[in-house]
Structures are given as structure tokens and as C-alpha cells.
Amino acid sequence: MKWLERAAGAIARLTFVSLLAYAGLALASGKNPWPQLTTPSAGATRAIGEYSAGCLAGAQALALDGVGYQVMHPSRSRYFGHPDLIDFIRTLGQGVHEAGAGVLLIGDLSQARGGRATGGHASHQSGLDVDIWFWAPPSAAKGPLSPAQREQLKARSVLDGKEGKVRAQWKKRVATTLKLAARDPRLARVFVNPVIKRELCEDETKDRAYLRKIRPWYGHDDHLHARLACPADSADCKAQEALPAGDGCDEIAWWFDAKAQADRKLAQQKYQANVVGGRGWPAQCEALLE
């Protein structure tokens, strides 16, 4: 499939990004300095490098509560981002609230200076990624969750495994949230479970343009992963390859084709080897480690 070949090629090209040699050695030896940096750097805001090999200068913290959203697991200190990401979340929360779709529970953004986190993510390094839960307990709509609830609750799948569909009670909320997110011009793409993408393709009868940004990926049955485009103020930000034309619905069958199982496994292995396996960071990030 052409799109799979493009994806594999893009992943392969990531390994040739120019990085400091000792930075790569530091990660290989298990030394990761980024989680130890708990405050944003001074100066202008810049998203630097790639989503999976970068950092964030002049980060902004997301308030733990806002109209239509609440931040979860704040003890992880992963609620920092580029101002574009912060405003995107606020705008999305406001839109979901006005649509009567409840309250969004916000997962990880980036660390105070970006970089690789300890476990959980390969991306979220340049302040342009955010995880947003699909599920929320009824109590969240009545007021802020307690500190203990925020730390103890975990995201839950909204899929019905037997039916292979989004559970009825979450279907409208999932669709509303994804439409509002994808129609924001700052958004580059949003990753969801292939089942969710398939259902959107089957149900949408009007404006289908937003479906182009909805990208199927492994997991993501309990949260969406929104990724913003490189901001105008960040010359050192490296964007992903542009999305192919069309709504992507003609490609979704590949994810459910038994004959393509080996191809899917190979694509996932390449992704894990080149991205999840750990890489260094651009030279421009060194100043943030001081």
C-alpha cells in the first residue's frame, strides 16, 4: 500500500536526523535528564526538533482546571506545552462544554522543558502533543475532581470489544470531541483507534473534510492523541510528512484485514525500533539542560 510505504520511509528517515552523539549515548545508557527539569526555561517559546526527538523552550503551564476540562495526574508534571497547545486545549474544552458533551479529562502534554519522559511516551517531546481521555466519570461534570481522584483514576476504553464499535453511551461525545479538535486549523493530526476511525467514516454524511486528520493507530481506544503543526515562532521545529489527500476512509479496511496482519506487525516493529527505542535530541536543546 502506498501510504504504508510512505509511513515506513518516513520512519526510516527519522534515524538519519542529526543529533549529538553523546546525547544518544546518554539515552542508551539509561540516563535521561529531562524529567529532572521541573521548571520551564526563560526566554521566548520555541518548539524544537521532532515530536519524538525534541524539546521545548519557554513552555507555558496549563491551568489544572478550565471551562470544559480538568487535568489528570498532575503529580507527573506533564502539563506544559507551547502556547498554541495550551490555547487549543482551552478552546476544545470550551467547545465541548458548549456542545453539552461533558468535561474533558486531560492526560499528558509535555514536561517543563519537553524531552523524553520516563515511560509512557515516545513523542510529547516538543510541547505540541496532548492526550485527552474519551471517558469521564459522571462526577467530573458536577465539579472538579478531588486531588486523590485525579491521581488514582485511569483512562478507560470506550469500545465494545464484542461488537467492535464505540459503546453507545460514548458515541456522541467521541464524535463531537474529534470533530471539534480536527476542525481547529492548528491541528496537524489526531490519533485514534482504527475502530473509531472506521465508525466515523461510516457515520459521517455531511462535511467529511475533517476526517483527513483522524489517523488510525495502535491502542488509542481510551484517549485521543492530538498533535499540533509546527508553530510560526519555531523555526527549529520539524514537522511530520504531510497527510495524503482524501479522508483516509479507503485505507481503514487494511487495519481489519487478516491478510495484512504480518504487514501491521512489521510496521509496528519498525516504529518501536526507530522511535520508541529511544533517540537523542537536537543540538539546540543542549542549552535547556543547563
Side-chain angles (χ1 to χ4, degrees):
M1 298 176 69
K2 291 183 178 180
W3 77 269
L4 180 59
E5 293 173 356
R6 289 197 299 270
I11 290 173
R13 286 194 293 274
L14 291 175
T15 62
F16 296 101
V17 176
S18 178
L19 304 171
L20 287 182
Y22 80 88
L25 291 173
L27 282 177
S29 64
K31 297 178 181 178
N32 180 9
W34 297 101
Q36 310 306 316
L37 303 170
T38 58
T39 58
S41 65
T45 302
R46 290 180 299 138
I48 302 170
E50 302 170 38
Y51 300 97
S52 298
C55 58
L56 175 63
Q60 182 177 337
L62 175 66
L64 299 186
D65 294 287
V67 177
Y69 80 85
Q70 299 178 35
V71 173
M72 303 301 289
H73 302 159
S75 65
R76 291 158 65 93
S77 295
R78 297 179 186 176
Y79 46 78
F80 296 90
H82 186 281
D84 280 6
L85 181 66
I86 302 302
D87 188 65
F88 167 80
I89 296 169
R90 290 172 176 163
T91 301
L92 183 60
Q94 180 75 44
V96 169
H97 173 72
E98 292 176 353
V103 176
L104 297 177
L105 300 187
I106 308 300
D108 287 352
L109 282 70
S110 293
Q111 299 173 128
R113 302 192 187 188
R116 180 171 289 276
T118 302
H121 298 293
S123 57
H124 292 252
Q125 294 195 33
S126 58
L128 300 173
D129 293 284
V130 59
D131 289 339
I132 300 175
W133 297 10
F134 290 126
W135 168 86
S139 58
K142 299 177 182 178
L145 297 171
S146 70
Q149 288 175 310
R150 295 187 193 222
E151 297 297 342
Q152 295 169 4
L153 287 175
K154 296 181 179 180
R156 300 181 185 179
S157 176
V158 293
L159 300 185
D160 184 325
K162 293 182 179 180
E163 296 292 331
K165 296 181 179 180
V166 178
R167 295 181 185 275
Q169 64 266 41
W170 298 108
K171 186 171 182 176
K172 182 178 179 181
R173 172 183 166 91
V174 169
T176 297
T177 303
L178 288 170
K179 286 180 182 180
L180 288 171
R183 287 169 176 163
D184 190 309
R186 295 169 293 191
L187 189 83
R189 62 196 76 202
V190 54
F191 302 101
V192 301
N193 187 275
V195 170
I196 296 175
K197 169 77 175 191
R198 180 175 65 180
E199 196 154 325
L200 291 174
C201 289
E202 292 173 348
D203 293 346
E204 186 58 63
T205 59
K206 297 180 180 179
D207 178 15
R208 300 177 64 86
Y210 79 93
L211 290 170
R212 182 179 181 221
K213 294 183 181 180
I214 309 294
R215 311 305 296 175
W217 195 242
Y218 306 93
H220 294 85
D221 58 322
D222 58 5
H223 73 278
L224 66 87
H225 176 169
R227 172 168 292 170
L228 267 59
C230 285
D233 62 12
S234 301
D236 295 319
C237 176
K238 296 186 179 299
Q240 282 185 269
E241 187 174 277
L243 292 172
D247 59 19
C249 293
D250 58 337
E251 302 166 352
I252 195 65
W254 178 83
W255 288 90
F256 303 95
D257 186 350
K259 295 179 181 179
Q261 183 175 357
D263 291 338
R264 290 195 298 270
K265 185 175 181 180
L266 179 61
Q268 188 174 26
Q269 289 174 340
K270 287 183 176 180
Y271 171 79
Q272 291 173 333
N274 290 298
V275 180
V276 179
R279 296 182 289 136
W281 48 84
Q284 298 95 316
C285 293
E286 288 304 308
L288 303 186
L289 293 175
E290 297 177 0

